[in-house]
Amino acid sequence: MENLLNHDSIDRRTVLKGAGALGITSLAGCTGDSGNGNGNGNGNGNGNGNGNGDTEVIRWHAGGTGGTYFPLSGEFETVVEENTDYAMEVSATGASVENVGSLANGDADFALIQNDIAYFARNGTGIDAFEDNAIDNLRGVATLYPETITIVLRPGAGIESIADMEGMRVNTGDLGSGTQVNALQILEAAAGLTPDDFEEQNTDFTQAANQIQDGDIDAAFVVGGWPVGAIEELATTTDIDLLSLSDEERTAVKDAASWFADDTIPAGTYEGIESATETVSVQAMIATRAEYDAEVVENVTAAIFDNLDGLSIKTDFISVDSAQDGMSIELHEGAAQYFE
């Protein structure tokens, strides 16, 4: 991947604050058990079982409960448990950046992350959390679906372009999350804005929706496959607007970071939004760690992709044929055995 956004252009205070809070820089503190996941993260994670006939427990780290990662991971859990002898524990987390740390230190066996964050982490570049600190054991399994960048606006905020966010109250996502990274990239690439130019706030999708509803912020960045549950729920109770990016803004964003692609949220996806919303997207993917047992990785991959009819989320996008589109890091050998 080329045309990396200069890491110095992303506000160091903000990203380092998030990285420090999550323990990413030291790769020692990412338990990933925040939120309301149903897993406790206590599986042995060695992929080898214990020889006593006990069920292998797979620790799967998802994202916030208001996004797409968490419910989709729940469906993966059902499919894997129905088609293998493994048990899966799904945990809600701060998503991509936190999940990379959890894979790096062995607290997670599989995780959902963005393809751009995977590239940054594996190559030790792009953002301060990974600068000169490459995550050598990060491996890919499969790409899944476009993760749309949705910019939710408080009606009456007077925001018609990215540049209009100057001086506004903007929620850029959880500290250290892939959402925050993408938001800061877009704000700077499209309008030259850094956190010094607006009032940055940082929460998960669900809390951001509440802030919009209460009028506490003017805009919120949400990254996830549409429809995002938190936005759907918000739109049924509160009037919202979505920011449609101009051709010039989308071109500037894509020129700054090559993993962004054009995307469109169809009219009617959210209640009250009657026009299509032009935006950009990254790609969601499944990742694992290099030392995790290849047989387990192959079996889990097969369970998911041989039983796609057991899924109801993002089914128009998830397929064997597209599972390596946008893959930004090398495959785990177990995934390679399945796909190749």
Side-chain angles (χ1 to χ4, degrees), residues 9 161-167 183-198:
S9 68
S161 69
I162 296 293
D164 290 336
M165 292 187 189
E166 184 172 3
L184 295 179
Q185 289 172 329
I186 290 167
L187 286 159
E188 182 160 2
L193 298 180
T194 73
D196 292 333
D197 300 314
F198 55 89

Side-chain angles (χ1 to χ4, degrees), residues 76-100:
F76 288 156
E77 177 183 16
T78 298
V79 168
V80 169
E81 291 187 344
E82 287 180 348
N83 293 279
T84 71
D85 293 328
Y86 309 135
M88 184 184 290
E89 294 177 341
V90 175
S91 294
T93 71
S96 292
V97 177
E98 180 179 347
N99 288 352
V100 168

Side-chain angles (χ1 to χ4, degrees), residues 193-235:
L193 298 180
T194 73
D196 292 333
D197 300 314
F198 55 89
E199 181 183 328
E200 184 181 16
Q201 299 194 26
N202 301 102
T203 69
D204 64 17
F205 300 165
T206 302
Q207 291 174 289
N210 291 337
Q211 288 181 313
I212 289 283
Q213 186 173 33
D214 296 339
D216 294 334
I217 57 173
D218 302 300
F221 283 77
V222 179
V223 180
W226 52 261
V228 174
I231 303 177
E232 279 190 305
E233 184 175 349
L234 177 65

Side-chain angles (χ1 to χ4, degrees), residues 4-130:
L4 286 174
L5 188 67
N6 186 333
H7 66 271
D8 290 325
S9 68
I10 300 176
D11 179 69
R12 290 179 175 272
R13 171 191 59 79
T14 303
V15 176
L16 279 174
K17 183 178 179 184
L22 297 172
I24 299 297
T25 305
S26 65
L27 299 176
C30 299
T31 63
D33 290 331
S34 60
N36 298 315
N38 63 0
N40 59 24
N42 292 326
N44 60 27
N46 61 14
N48 298 315
N50 59 16
N52 297 322
D54 291 343
T55 300
E56 174 71 22
V57 178
I58 295 167
R59 299 164 300 168
W60 185 292
H61 286 199
T65 57
T68 305
Y69 281 7
F70 189 76
L72 179 59
S73 294
E75 293 197 347
F76 288 156
E77 177 183 16
T78 298
V79 168
V80 169
E81 291 187 344
E82 287 180 348
N83 293 279
T84 71
D85 293 328
Y86 309 135
M88 184 184 290
E89 294 177 341
V90 175
S91 294
T93 71
S96 292
V97 177
E98 180 179 347
N99 288 352
V100 168
S102 297
L103 289 170
N105 63 24
D107 285 344
D109 304 316
F110 291 89
L112 295 187
I113 60 178
Q114 295 171 199
N115 64 340
D116 58 326
I117 300 301
Y119 180 87
F120 287 152
R122 184 65 184 89
N123 291 279
T125 188
I127 60 175
D128 288 285
F130 306 122

